[in-house]
């Protein structure tokens, strides 16, 4: 090594280690032992209560409202740890620390912030984000839901589908067209309280991961104009906040991949065949070696993407992190099932639940196909033809 060379190194701070130690204790004592319980679609309220007690649900809430105001990287670390114990719980927590909470805290009115942010911290307010429509997923310019502003009121009409936590939600964060402005220029956001007249939710879709997803409808729903968080022309702000989801979604996938690897190593030590632990066989060792290599590569790009957040992550690096970790985790969790043989196919073994859970990752928060299009477009349109590709993010 030449004199003066800087070694690039990533390490957790003491505060981060203490935080993760606390989360790990809750995972092992409360979350992990009952993970199978949530496969029927019940909401894990008891786990949320335990996490609220240690401040986790307030990670995206500013300190002045009783939260932690944690960084995106800190939130990635915590969700990764929770997901090692239970996919359903990790997804429930994502709803409190992800895009919807950050939209409320950055763009909500003072009245909304004062009313709901402290309740998010103590676990008494569940959030739901409503984007997907029956005929519109990624194609936001084709969104039909519309909010019409009339003096001091907003009137909302439309329908959303495949919505998480809709029946439990106390506050809905709704992407909507505003005043019928066409195309992507018309997209804004309203914040709707539960119990509003004309609001209905039917959790009619049970997922392979365990949760229920809902159809949500708005029929002449009225709300104060202060509930219009962002008017038309706000898509770039909404997608900026949504880039956070493109780090938090893969953090859950990363945690499940790690859990599958750890369970696989334990199984290789405990299971015997032909008079030896199956971990003595080269084929099994190669499997776990590849799993670890894939996990560490995913961890690197994800942590780098999360570290760019100010307040939201670099969109291109976040997209690449989501693509890689989503697809990596499917391969790793599949190998975890394979290592366990027939036992890997039953609910009692966590590798089975992890394999089903990670399959959500590449579908939610922007499909990997859509994100590949985005990254490719950025590369083709913006690469400097003289200097080529520069490194992105932090090391």
């Amino acid at each position: 090594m030449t004199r003066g060379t800087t070694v690039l190194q990533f390490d957790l701070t003491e505060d981060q280690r203490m935080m993760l130690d606390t989360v790990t204790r809750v995972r092992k004592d409360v979350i992990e032992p009952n993970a199978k319980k949530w496969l029927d679609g019940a909401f894990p309220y008891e786990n949320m209560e335990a996490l609220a007690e240690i401040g986790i649900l307030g990670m995206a809430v500013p300190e002045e409202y009783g939260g932690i105001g944690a960084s995106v990287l800190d939130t990635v670390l915590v969700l990764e740890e929770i997901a090692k114990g239970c996919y359903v719980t990790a997804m429930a927590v994502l709803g409190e620390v992800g895009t919807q909470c950050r939209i409320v805290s950055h763009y909500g009115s003072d009245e909304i912030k004062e009313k709901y942010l402290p309740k998010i911290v103590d676990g008494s307010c569940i959030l739901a984000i409503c984007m997907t429509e029956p005929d519109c997923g990624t194609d936001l310019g084709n969104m039909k839901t519309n909010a019409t502003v009339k003096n001091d009121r907003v009137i909302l009409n439309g329908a959303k589908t495949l919505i998480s936590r809709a029946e439990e939600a106390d506050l809905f964060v709704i992407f909507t067209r505003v005043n019928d402005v066409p195309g992507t220029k018309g997209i804004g956001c309203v914040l709707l309280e539960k119990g509003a007249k004309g609001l209905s939710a039917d959790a009619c879709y049970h997922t392979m991961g365990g949760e229920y997803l809902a159809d949500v409808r708005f029929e002449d729903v009225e709300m104060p104009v202060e509930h219009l968080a962002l008017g038309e022309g706000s898509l770039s702000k909404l997608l900026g906040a949504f880039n956070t989801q493109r780090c938090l979604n893969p953090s859950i996938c990363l945690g499940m991949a790690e859990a599958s690897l750890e369970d696989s190593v334990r199984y290789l030590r405990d299971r015997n065949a032909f008079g030896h632990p199956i971990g003595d066989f080269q084929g099994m060792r190669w499997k776990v070696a590849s799993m670890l290599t894939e996990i560490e590569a995913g961890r690197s790009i994800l942590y780098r993407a999360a570290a760019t957040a100010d307040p939201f992550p670099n969109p291109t690096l976040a997209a690449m992190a989501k693509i890689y970790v989503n697809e990596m985790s499917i391969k790793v969790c599949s190998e975890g099932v394979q290592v366990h043989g027939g036992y890997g196919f039953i609910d009692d073994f966590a590798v089975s639940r992890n394999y089903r859970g990670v399959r959500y990752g590449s579908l939610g928060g922007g499909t990997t196909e859509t994100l590949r299009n985005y990254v490719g477009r950025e590369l083709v349109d913006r690469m400097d033809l003289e200097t080529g590709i520069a490194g992105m993010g932090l090391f």
Side-chain angles (χ1 to χ4, degrees):
M1 184 179 291
T2 59
R3 192 171 184 179
T5 298
T6 301
V7 177
L8 301 178
Q9 181 176 344
F10 177 87
D11 198 7
L12 300 182
T13 67
E14 187 62 30
D15 285 345
Q16 287 171 329
R17 290 189 183 279
M18 291 174 60
M19 174 183 67
L20 286 179
D21 286 345
T22 303
V23 175
T24 299
R25 286 196 297 273
V26 173
R27 170 176 68 83
K28 290 183 176 180
D29 294 345
V30 179
I31 296 173
E32 210 166 67
N34 297 306
K36 184 182 170 185
K37 177 179 178 179
W38 312 112
L39 290 179
D40 66 354
F43 190 78
Y45 283 110
E46 62 195 63
N47 292 347
M48 298 291 277
E49 182 179 346
L51 291 165
E53 288 177 359
I54 60 172
I56 295 305
L57 301 188
M59 293 194 76
V61 175
E63 291 182 9
E64 58 264 38
Y65 296 98
I68 299 175
S71 69
V72 173
L73 178 56
D74 287 347
T75 312
V76 162
L77 295 171
V78 166
L79 278 175
E80 177 187 342
E81 183 63 26
I82 294 170
K84 290 176 70 173
C86 176
Y87 162 77
V88 174
T89 302
M91 290 297 292
V93 175
L94 174 63
E96 304 304 285
V97 302
T99 297
Q100 47 267 58
C101 184
R102 293 169 194 271
I103 287 175
V104 173
S105 64
H106 280 82
Y107 304 121
S109 66
D110 289 342
E111 176 189 353
I112 288 285
K113 292 178 185 178
E114 291 169 3
K115 182 175 182 179
Y116 284 105
L117 290 179
K119 293 181 179 180
I120 293 170
V121 176
D122 67 22
S124 60
C125 173
I126 302 298
L127 299 174
I129 189 167
C130 300
M131 293 180 61
T132 302
E133 298 188 354
D135 297 315
C136 163
T138 302
D139 182 12
L140 296 178
N142 193 39
M143 187 173 289
K144 301 296 192 299
T145 299
N146 182 71
T148 302
V149 180
K150 292 185 177 180
N151 299 319
D152 63 345
R153 308 295 291 174
V154 174
I155 302 172
L156 183 68
N157 282 283
K160 301 291 183 177
T161 192
L162 303 178
I163 305 303
S164 301
R165 299 171 298 278
E167 290 194 329
E168 295 81 18
D170 300 285
L171 186 68
F172 295 82
V173 178
I174 304 163
F175 284 38
T176 179
R177 189 168 305 287
V178 179
N179 292 327
D180 289 312
V181 175
T184 57
K185 292 182 179 179
I187 305 303
C189 178
V190 297
L191 306 176
L192 178 64
E193 298 174 313
K194 76 172 182 180
K197 183 180 179 180
L199 166 65
S200 62
D202 177 18
C204 51
Y205 307 111
H206 186 251
T207 72
M208 62 192 292
E211 323 106 297
Y212 271 99
L213 303 180
D215 285 332
V216 182
R217 294 178 180 83
F218 317 103
E219 298 181 7
D220 291 327
V221 177
E222 285 196 33
M223 66 195 87
V225 73
E226 291 78 17
H227 286 229
L228 179 67
L230 290 167
E232 63 266 37
S234 300
L235 183 60
S236 61
K237 289 183 178 180
L238 290 168
L239 291 182
F242 199 72
N243 277 324
T244 304
Q245 209 81 345
R246 291 173 178 165
C247 286
L248 302 186
N249 165 304
S251 72
I252 293 174
C253 292
L254 179 63
M256 287 186 285
E258 291 169 1
S260 290
L261 174 57
E262 292 171 6
D263 284 349
S264 294
V265 172
R266 294 185 187 100
Y267 193 76
L268 293 186
R269 291 181 180 179
D270 294 340
R271 178 73 168 178
N272 289 295
F274 307 103
H276 297 277
I278 61 174
D280 287 352
F281 295 99
Q282 185 182 63
M284 292 293 104
R285 291 190 174 194
W286 282 19
K287 281 186 183 296
V288 293
S290 294
M291 291 164 75
L292 178 60
T293 302
E294 295 269 14
I295 285 170
E296 287 303 324
R299 187 194 312 281
S300 267
I301 189 171
L302 176 57
Y303 286 10
R304 286 176 61 201
T308 65
D310 185 27
F312 307 124
N314 175 283
T316 306
L317 198 55
M320 291 190 291
K322 187 176 186 300
I323 292 167
Y324 185 86
V325 177
N326 285 167
E327 295 179 350
M328 171 277 292
S329 63
I330 293 172
K331 291 188 292 183
V332 167
C333 290
S334 177
E335 285 287 67
V337 170
Q338 190 70 24
V339 167
H340 283 72
Y343 289 113
F345 198 60
I346 64 177
D347 288 344
D348 289 336
F349 280 70
V351 289
S352 171
R353 302 192 297 271
N354 289 336
Y355 182 50
R356 284 176 285 172
V358 295
R359 197 59 191 84
Y360 164 80
S362 63
L363 305 174
T367 65
T368 48
E369 291 82 5
T370 298
L371 295 179
R372 272 194 170 86
N373 283 338
Y374 169 75
V375 173
R377 184 177 69 245
E378 290 292 297
L379 182 61
V380 171
D381 292 350
R382 299 192 180 185
M383 187 187 81
D384 189 307
L385 298 182
E386 294 295 327
T387 60
I389 300 170
M392 299 179 65
L394 304 175
F395 287 87

